[in-house]
Each structure stands twice: as structure tokens, then as C-alpha cells.
Amino acid sequence: MNSKGTSYLLWLSILLGIGGLHRFYNGKMITGLIWLLTGGVFGIGQIIDLFLIPDMVESHNLKKSSIYGVPYAPERPAIARSYDYPSSNPSLRLSLLKAAQRHGGKLTVTQAVSETGASFEDVEAALIGMAKIGRVDITNDSRTGAVTYVFQEL
């Protein structure tokens, strides 16, 4: 998994006149090439990326974990804040937890929609939010390949 620290170190390569290495590292090949050829879009894009690197790293790691079936637990703050969840619906999160208990601690989005009656978008947003703060791991079912959310505490 990629780290924010490495991304920031690669970002510093602009001081040597090489922009965009942090974008290549995080799987953004086309924009990495643009940054490389234009000096980080004349430095402006490089400066903006200072604020975008954490999301770039997290997005890359989530994508890789779902493709390769590697559990991903993102760096999480010492105290999880309620606004870290894309879905602020506590009853949906509780319903997802109960559904995961019935399914042996593992849950797919389709199972969660079936169990809770919520929309696919709401369920997926809630599960990804829970993954972002380390409440669930994301993996793939070895038999079906479906993205599976694993509640380690169950």
C-alpha cells in the first residue's frame, strides 16, 4: 500500500525540476505525464497537489485493495469523528452491523441492500466510510470475486 509520506517526498522532486512523480506513484499516469512535461503545470498544479495527496493515496489504496483482495485499513485518527462517515445515518450503520453479524462478519453491498432496504449508493457510502476509519476491511470473496466488507470485531 502507498503511503502519504512517500507521496510527499516524491512531491519534493519538483525542487529538482521534476514534477509529477507523486502522481505516477499513486497510479495517475496521464496526469503524471502532464505534470512531468509541464513542471507540475507550471508549479500551480504541484502546489494544489499538496492538499490532494492524502485523498490520492487513499483512493489508490482502496482501488488496489478491491482489485487484489488485500484487506485495507487506512491510517485513522486517534479519535474517529462522526463527520468521517460519508453517510451520517447511524441507524443504517447499526443495520449494517447487525446484517454483518448474521453473515459471519462479512457483508457485500448486495447483501446489505437486501438486509437493510437502503439504496445501493447509501449502503456503499456507509461501508466505505466505515472502512476509512478502520471499522471494516475491504477484500474480495475468493470464490465469487465480489467486494466484501469484513467486520474484524465480529
Side-chain angles (χ1 to χ4, degrees), residues 3-143:
S3 77
K4 292 175 192 170
T6 303
S7 287
Y8 281 115
L9 284 174
L10 290 170
W11 180 90
L12 285 173
S13 66
I14 194 66
L15 299 176
L16 301 172
I18 305 168
L21 293 183
H22 62 287
R23 287 189 162 265
F24 285 113
Y25 177 68
N26 287 302
K28 298 188 174 293
M29 300 304 171
I30 294 173
T31 56
L33 185 61
I34 292 169
W35 262 239
L36 183 65
L37 296 175
T38 62
V41 189
F42 310 109
I44 297 169
Q46 196 79 9
I47 302 254
I48 292 170
D49 280 354
L50 270 175
F51 303 100
L52 299 179
I53 283 175
D55 287 334
M56 260 189 246
V57 171
E58 192 164 318
S59 173
H60 179 266
N61 288 342
L62 278 170
K63 184 188 295 184
K64 289 298 177 191
S65 71
S66 67
I67 290 172
Y68 297 116
V70 177
Y72 171 59
E75 299 171 20
R76 64 179 178 195
I79 299 174
R81 297 174 297 269
S82 62
Y83 61 81
D84 287 335
Y85 288 93
S87 169
S88 61
N89 184 344
S91 64
L92 176 58
R93 291 193 304 267
L94 182 59
S95 297
L96 290 170
L97 181 61
K98 289 178 180 179
Q101 283 177 321
R102 289 189 293 272
H103 289 272
K106 295 181 180 181
L107 198 59
T108 66
V109 173
T110 305
Q111 288 170 331
V113 168
S114 174
E115 294 270 339
T116 64
S119 71
F120 279 94
E121 294 80 15
D122 289 344
V123 165
E124 191 166 32
L127 288 169
I128 289 173
M130 293 168 83
K132 283 184 176 183
I133 64 163
R135 296 290 179 219
V136 299
D137 291 332
I138 301 173
T139 187
N140 288 88
D141 185 278
S142 59
R143 189 175 49 86

